Amino acid sequence: MKRRVFIAAAAPAVLAACGGQSIWASDERLRAARFVSSEPPSITLFTVIGIPRGEGGHSGLMINGSQRVIYDPAGSWQHPNIPERNDVLYGITDNFKNFYIDYHARSTYWVAEDTIPVPLEIADLAIRRAEQNGAGGKSFCAVESSKVLSGVPGFETVPRGFSPLRLRRWFLAQPNVISKRHQDGDPANNHDVLLRQKNGQIVGYNM
């Protein structure tokens, strides 16, 4: 019971989801955390969507290029082993990707994972644009995600605006999109994952 009450109390802070600040991890931390995925280069749009009304709560980008990062403008997810520079999160292993998704997915929100395969040089350009963009302001998650994408070949027509759902609709209309839905119907399970993150443990993720 206490665990469920904790999650219910924490959810508004988590999924009000757009309140960023300037953070600058050291070069040493970035080098140590660097993760290169064996998956093909791609750009993924994460959209946090409310249940049952379907409102858009948050937008973020996972970019898999010469390394895999998450650009989480004005986001609130943190982990002691994940260095950050102004909303760019480094060292996104499969386990940390799962942590990120579970942080947002719960009984009142689900997470859409929409992925477009791209050439390596396009993915690396997207990473550079995210790094150069700076920290996003409160409620600017969709705006900043669109801003990063707008300078990437193949994504130039991305709409600007504050709506994560509008951004996702455009993304889904692009060729070769691969979509997944993540939903956690048990807040207690999500709470367990968050506690492991708080303790800095990165193993033992329950699939």
Side-chain angles (χ1 to χ4, degrees), residues 154-172:
F155 295 81
E156 298 94 338
T157 61
V158 63
R160 301 293 186 94
F162 287 88
S163 172
L165 295 181
R166 184 179 179 218
L167 174 57
R168 182 174 188 241
R169 284 194 296 270
W170 177 89
F171 206 88
L172 288 173

Side-chain angles (χ1 to χ4, degrees), residues 1-205:
M1 177 63 71
K2 289 182 179 179
R3 296 198 308 180
R4 292 178 182 274
V5 170
F6 175 88
I7 284 297
V14 170
L15 290 165
C18 294
Q21 57 180 321
S22 180
I23 298 173
W24 194 262
S26 67
D27 291 344
E28 291 77 13
R29 289 203 66 203
L30 265 58
R31 284 194 293 267
R34 182 185 179 92
F35 173 72
V36 180
S37 171
S38 60
E39 296 179 355
S42 61
I43 296 176
T44 295
L45 175 67
F46 287 121
T47 310
V48 182
I49 301 174
I51 301 170
R53 292 179 297 172
E55 70 276 17
H58 187 55
S59 297
L61 299 172
M62 183 173 70
I63 309 168
N64 185 33
S66 297
Q67 62 177 316
R68 188 161 71 185
V69 306
I70 288 179
Y71 175 60
D72 196 34
S76 56
W77 182 69
Q78 296 178 337
H79 189 282
N81 291 349
I82 292 292
E84 175 184 348
R85 279 189 178 177
N86 288 344
D87 292 337
V88 181
L89 309 172
Y90 296 84
I92 305 301
T93 64
D94 292 344
N95 205 50
F96 281 127
K97 172 190 170 183
N98 288 330
F99 279 160
Y100 178 86
I101 291 170
D102 271 2
Y103 177 79
H104 294 92
R106 59 197 69 241
S107 60
T108 52
Y109 286 89
W110 65 279
V111 177
E113 177 186 350
D114 303 306
T115 300
I116 298 177
V118 297
L120 178 61
E121 59 270 21
I122 297 299
D124 284 345
L125 173 60
I127 292 174
R128 291 195 299 272
R129 285 188 57 80
E131 290 173 330
Q132 295 165 2
N133 197 60
K138 184 176 181 180
S139 300
F140 275 71
C141 49
V143 171
E144 300 298 344
S145 296
S146 297
K147 184 178 176 182
V148 167
L149 291 175
S150 66
V152 177
F155 295 81
E156 298 94 338
T157 61
V158 63
R160 301 293 186 94
F162 287 88
S163 172
L165 295 181
R166 184 179 179 218
L167 174 57
R168 182 174 188 241
R169 284 194 296 270
W170 177 89
F171 206 88
L172 288 173
Q174 306 314 300
N176 304 316
V177 180
I178 302 167
S179 296
K180 296 180 182 178
R181 179 186 178 111
H182 303 278
Q183 184 171 337
D184 183 355
D186 184 357
N189 289 339
N190 201 323
H191 180 62
D192 289 343
V193 171
L194 294 180
L195 284 179
R196 284 200 293 274
Q197 292 187 80
K198 183 177 180 180
N199 293 335
Q201 299 176 23
I202 62 172
V203 296
Y205 179 84

